[in-house]
Amino acid sequence: MSVKKEIDVSRRNLLFGAFRRLRGEEAEGRPQARSSETLPLLNEANAAFDSGDFAAATPKYRELLQKEPENREARRRLGRCLYGEGKFVQAKVEFERVLRADREDNEAWLFLGLTLARGGSPAKAVSVWKNFKDMRNVPLVREINLQAALLEESEEPDGVRIADAVESVLRNPA
């Protein structure tokens, strides 16, 4: 019978996390396993996510979250996978769960807004984006503010157009 070995995430990240990020071995915001039992599952999920295979990553993140329900980074990535698959209602639920745990999560605010825009609620998306405060990404903040202003002038707001404009800045930050 094997004994489950727990990994002390906070101590490990405190001592070595910054060095791994500097060397490019660990992306900031990348989910970390809480135990050695879930590490292979997380690695598979992250590899699928990084390659853009959201359909393969989604079940892996779901399985991981059954074992580690408090893993916010994995939950955020699950939401992004669901968003990428066009499952906007499910993605909305995951981003809201992340925000219940951390109201300052800019990525969750951003993707919750995108999910609402693509899901047919562009006015709610703009309302949600008022909580997005990532001043390190000025072009993205500027685009969100522009879309909010255009939405106020438009009689029939087009959520897909709004989401496309914001995503174009995400893909190509100026």
Side-chain angles (χ1 to χ4, degrees):
M1 185 169 139
S2 69
V3 176
K4 181 177 169 183
K5 180 182 173 192
E6 291 295 319
I7 298 172
D8 185 354
V9 177
S10 60
R11 180 174 289 158
R12 181 185 67 199
N13 282 339
L14 177 65
L15 295 175
F16 300 109
F19 295 113
R20 285 194 301 270
R21 280 191 291 280
L22 286 173
R23 290 190 306 241
E25 296 172 4
E26 177 183 301
E28 194 171 329
R30 189 175 177 93
Q32 299 295 311
R34 306 286 196 261
S35 74
S36 58
E37 177 186 310
T38 58
L39 186 60
L41 181 61
L42 180 63
N43 288 338
E44 290 175 28
N46 286 339
F49 180 89
D50 292 341
S51 69
D53 188 357
F54 299 132
T58 297
K60 303 274 186 208
Y61 282 124
R62 285 191 194 278
E63 186 179 343
L64 175 74
L65 287 166
Q66 286 179 344
K67 297 175 182 181
E68 297 180 8
E70 300 303 317
N71 192 327
R72 281 196 319 266
E73 292 84 12
R75 188 164 304 283
R76 185 182 323 107
R77 282 212 171 179
L78 172 60
R80 289 192 55 189
C81 289
L82 293 166
Y83 175 80
E85 292 181 81
K87 298 177 180 176
F88 302 124
V89 173
Q90 294 174 18
K92 178 182 175 282
V93 169
E94 295 304 328
F95 292 128
E96 287 172 342
R97 285 180 179 166
V98 170
L99 290 167
R100 263 187 252 131
D102 181 8
R103 302 290 296 170
E104 302 298 317
D105 191 315
N106 281 318
E107 187 176 344
W109 283 119
L110 173 65
F111 277 93
L112 178 58
L114 287 169
T115 300
L116 290 167
R118 290 213 181 267
S121 301
K124 286 183 182 177
V126 171
S127 167
V128 162
W129 281 331
K130 289 179 182 175
N131 296 297
F132 179 77
K133 296 173 176 53
D134 186 1
M135 298 321 292
R136 294 174 295 165
N137 195 341
V138 174
L140 184 58
V141 172
R142 186 179 305 130
E143 184 63 35
I144 288 171
N145 289 336
L146 174 64
Q147 293 305 319
L150 292 173
L151 180 69
E152 290 175 3
E153 294 178 3
S154 176
E155 290 180 19
E156 293 207 25
D158 182 4
V160 173
R161 183 195 52 76
I162 291 170
D164 286 344
V166 173
E167 286 177 4
S168 72
V169 175
L170 271 176
R171 285 188 300 272
N172 305 310

